[in-house]
Amino acid sequence: MTGGKRQGCTTCCALVIFGAGGDLTKRLITPALYNLAKQNLLPERFAIVGIDHNERTTDDWRSGLHDFLEQTVQSRKGEFEAKQIDEKVWGELAGKMTYIAGDFLEAQTYSKLRDCLKQIDSKQKLEGNAVFYLAVADRFFAPIVDALGQAGLARDETGWRRVVIEKPFGHDLPSAMALNARILKVLREDQIYRIDHFLGKETVQNIMALRFSNGLFEPIWNRDRIDHVQITVAESIGIGTRGKFYEQTGALRDMVPNHLFQLVAMTAMEPPSSFGADEIRTKKAEVFKAVHPLTVDEAVRGQYGPGKIGDQKVPGYREEDNVATDSNVETYVALRLTIDNWRWAGVPFYLRTGKRLPDRWTEIAIHFKRAPLALFRDTPVDTFGPDWLILQIQPDEGIRLRFNAKRPGPEMHLESVAMDFKYSDWFKQPPAVGYETLLYDCFAGDQTLFQRADQVEASWAAVQPLLEAWDTTPPSGFPNYPAGSAGPESARALLTRDGRSWRPIR
Ligand code: BG6
């Protein structure tokens, strides 16, 4: 998939992390930097500057990150090469770290940062290149960008300057537009890297490889041969410690216009004429623009009540910490999406995502139309199952084709069988926490896997009518699915009325 992507990392740059003491830095950014360092994929001359409001020394910051990484390495399977930190690699990485204490909203912080970068630059010859990573709460995105601008840190005169912005990018269409307008006063679009971490997942990127590097699939990838598409992002986890955030967000905002829409775009986009970042991002934006704005009739919301995940009893959403006991926030969404373009006219895309579903399971399932003629009429075969192509995103990444085969024996009986491809059978996957590719691409200046302003706005535009409708009409009957079930009954009805049914989760 690296075809048109710029190969190779930059030789030098500084990475400035706002939110150096935060969860994202500990859980994902540092482990990803460690994995990149281990594979020798970081820029040759590299510095990391962490900024946060807590007073602490660089040594304290480093050792805090080390301890957290140590626990992470021991507990997360497949994400690291070994269960122990390679202390030599860590030592080299930690040696590049500097901590600055400062309030994100004070000008003084940015003058300290400017001085620090100048010093590092003259020592390490970073050529003025810097990535500013905003690993902070979204209310700080615009003020930090403004302050970088005012401090002259956003101008890429001597070297390049890039800014990485995390999710959530806005909480609806007007706020996303306002945020874009504000940061674009300071930065050019090619300096902005809006993250959707689903795009860092290897198998999500592989959807493009499947579609566009094989002659086999594209001729059948349209309304002539496809009956409908089901996209499932199921999670068995509950809200845990994120009650406060989730009460403001809900499943629709948290998952749909970003992660699920990325899966829709990868599945539905037209073939790009090159693998250039702008070409691909244009094709994806076209899909979002063609999504018919969602209405309440095409959407179902749910909230989990108490139940069981496997053998373990778990509380309902309203019993979670920092959640109102009468909360009406949805933890489950199912949607019927239509894409108003030539390729997909009449092919519904059914989307569902939820917390406390039976398993962690993400897949894109393409349901092909049945054979046009019931050839088997005078045989014991009365019905035959559909053909499915299933792109399994996580876990057990792979591709499965389900089709009908004759069961051996004198009589004609058909059975649904499967051809399976598992990535792990073919490739040794490099250990990854999911942010490695995104960081690497950002250092390399490749924006393919990052969201452009128009993509973000077009996805919010598609869900905006539904957000407004749901914000003004409280749901009835919450909680409406027990933890560990496949979701609310109304989600089943959404497909039944079209004469279809959901695939089992797992
Ligand atoms: C995040 C959401 O963006 O993605 C979470 O805020 C969700 O609610 C998570 O759990 C899912 O990501 P992953 O990589 O664990 O599938």
Side-chain angles (χ1 to χ4, degrees):
M1 185 52 41
T2 47
K5 290 177 76 167
R6 210 177 302 170
Q7 298 285 327
C9 203
T10 181
T11 51
C12 54
C13 77
L15 170 67
V16 179
I17 307 173
F18 287 88
D23 196 48
L24 187 75
T25 304
K26 286 192 281 189
R27 267 191 326 110
L28 293 161
I29 302 175
T30 308
L33 289 171
Y34 168 80
N35 275 338
L36 286 172
K38 181 98 185 121
Q39 293 162 54
N40 212 9
L41 289 174
L42 285 177
E44 276 163 37
R45 299 193 302 284
F46 187 53
I48 306 167
V49 180
I51 306 191
D52 220 322
H53 54 267
N54 288 340
E55 282 297 336
R56 52 160 89 82
T57 61
T58 292
D59 276 345
D60 287 346
W61 183 48
R62 289 176 184 153
S63 71
L65 291 179
H66 176 274
D67 294 352
F68 198 88
L69 182 65
E70 194 158 48
Q71 291 166 23
T72 315
V73 164
Q74 283 163 6
S75 61
R76 298 218 300 244
K77 220 176 84 197
E79 298 184 0
F80 302 95
E81 200 182 77
K83 281 198 149 201
Q84 297 297 326
I85 298 185
D86 181 331
E87 293 295 347
K88 185 165 173 286
V89 170
W90 171 259
E92 276 171 26
L93 190 66
K96 300 178 198 297
M97 295 178 175
T98 311
Y99 183 79
I100 298 178
D103 190 316
F104 304 145
L105 302 177
E106 274 179 15
Q108 208 193 344
T109 307
Y110 298 83
S111 42
K112 274 201 243 170
L113 174 60
R114 203 177 36 221
D115 294 346
C116 172
L117 283 177
K118 226 186 233 159
Q119 240 182 32
I120 292 176
D121 218 313
S122 67
K123 252 201 258 153
Q124 299 194 33
K125 306 275 171 287
L126 301 184
E127 297 173 14
N129 299 336
V131 174
F132 300 100
Y133 196 126
L134 312 195
V136 292
D138 59 333
R139 66 178 187 283
F140 292 117
F141 293 163
I144 293 178
V145 171
D146 284 348
L148 287 171
Q150 278 151 16
L153 286 164
R155 279 198 306 270
D156 48 4
E157 284 156 356
T158 46
W160 47 255
R161 298 288 157 115
R162 298 175 188 146
V163 176
V164 179
I165 301 188
E166 268 292 334
K167 175 178 165 275
F169 197 93
H171 50 92
D172 57 12
L173 178 60
S175 58
M177 287 172 74
L179 182 55
N180 272 330
R182 190 154 157 201
I183 61 175
L184 281 162
K185 282 194 184 135
V186 179
L187 303 163
R188 295 185 314 273
E189 181 60 45
D190 66 275
Q191 293 178 284
I192 306 171
Y193 288 68
R194 297 176 193 80
I195 282 208
D196 184 312
H197 81 275
F198 261 49
L199 290 177
K201 294 184 194 290
E202 193 67 36
T203 25
V204 173
Q205 295 170 53
N206 261 313
I207 303 169
M208 280 208 287
L210 173 84
R211 289 188 56 197
F212 305 134
S213 66
N214 298 295
L216 181 62
F217 299 107
E218 218 34 37
I220 54 170
W221 211 263
N222 57 47
R223 67 175 189 281
D224 294 336
R225 298 300 343 131
I226 294 178
D227 176 74
H228 73 278
V229 177
Q230 292 187 17
I231 301 185
T232 300
V233 180
E235 296 183 279
S236 56
I237 52 166
I239 290 314
T241 54
R242 299 170 76 219
K244 211 162 140 211
F245 160 80
Y246 210 78
E247 281 284 273
Q248 306 296 318
T249 314
L252 179 58
R253 285 185 167 86
D254 188 35
M255 298 295 288
V256 176
N258 31 63
H259 305 329
L260 272 92
F261 268 38
Q262 287 304 326
L263 301 182
V264 171
M266 290 290 197
T267 314
M269 68 192 267
E270 293 300 315
S273 55
S274 78
F275 273 122
D278 262 325
E279 174 65 12
I280 291 176
R281 297 194 304 169
T282 299
K283 294 296 176 203
K284 285 170 58 182
E286 281 169 8
V287 174
F288 300 144
K289 286 176 191 155
V291 169
H292 198 81
L294 284 159
T295 65
V296 277
D297 297 338
E298 294 166 315
V300 162
R301 53 185 153 167
Q303 186 193 77
Y304 62 86
K308 268 185 162 183
I309 300 287
D311 292 336
Q312 201 199 341
K313 272 194 179 166
V314 294
Y317 178 68
R318 290 176 177 182
E319 284 90 60
E320 303 273 19
D321 286 347
N322 297 317
V323 170
T325 48
D326 58 352
S327 173
N328 275 329
V329 168
E330 81 285 353
T331 59
Y332 177 99
V333 190
L335 304 169
R336 182 185 192 278
L337 205 84
T338 46
I339 300 177
D340 293 338
N341 66 18
W342 200 258
R343 183 187 287 262
W344 297 113
V347 181
F349 280 61
Y350 299 102
L351 274 47
R352 65 181 159 163
T353 182
K355 304 279 186 221
R356 288 291 189 219
L357 296 176
D359 231 317
R360 180 171 192 242
W361 194 256
T362 300
E363 66 169 33
I364 300 171
I366 321 256
H367 182 299
F368 289 94
K369 290 188 170 163
R370 285 172 205 275
L373 193 62
L375 265 188
F376 300 92
R377 224 174 3 227
D378 299 323
T379 72
V381 175
D382 42 6
T383 56
F384 40 87
D387 302 334
W388 287 97
L389 181 68
I390 299 142
L391 315 181
Q392 178 69 35
I393 310 289
Q394 62 190 18
D396 306 331
E397 295 83 353
I399 298 172
R400 161 173 280 206
L401 182 65
R402 281 214 87 99
F403 57 102
N404 295 304
K406 179 184 170 298
R407 196 190 306 152
E411 288 200 325
M412 188 64 180
H413 286 289
L414 296 181
E415 210 164 291
S416 176
V417 295
M419 279 196 314
D420 266 324
F421 154 71
K422 283 206 164 76
Y423 282 96
S424 56
D425 291 344
W426 284 79
F427 306 110
K428 183 171 167 355
Q429 295 184 340
V433 295
Y435 270 59
E436 289 80 356
T437 307
L438 297 170
L439 284 166
Y440 182 88
D441 282 4
C442 183
F443 300 145
D446 185 335
Q447 290 184 298
T448 313
L449 299 180
F450 297 85
Q451 297 251 72
R452 212 171 50 190
D454 57 334
Q455 289 179 287
V456 174
E457 290 177 15
S459 358
W460 278 119
V463 296
Q464 186 65 24
L466 185 60
L467 283 176
E468 284 168 15
W470 279 2
D471 282 350
T472 49
T473 20
S476 58
F478 271 13
N480 59 355
Y481 71 98
S485 71
E489 168 58 27
S490 44
R492 198 177 62 81
L494 184 75
L495 265 71
T496 317
R497 75 179 191 213
D498 288 353
R500 300 184 173 112
S501 55
W502 290 107
R503 288 171 43 74
I505 295 175
R506 185 175 268 275

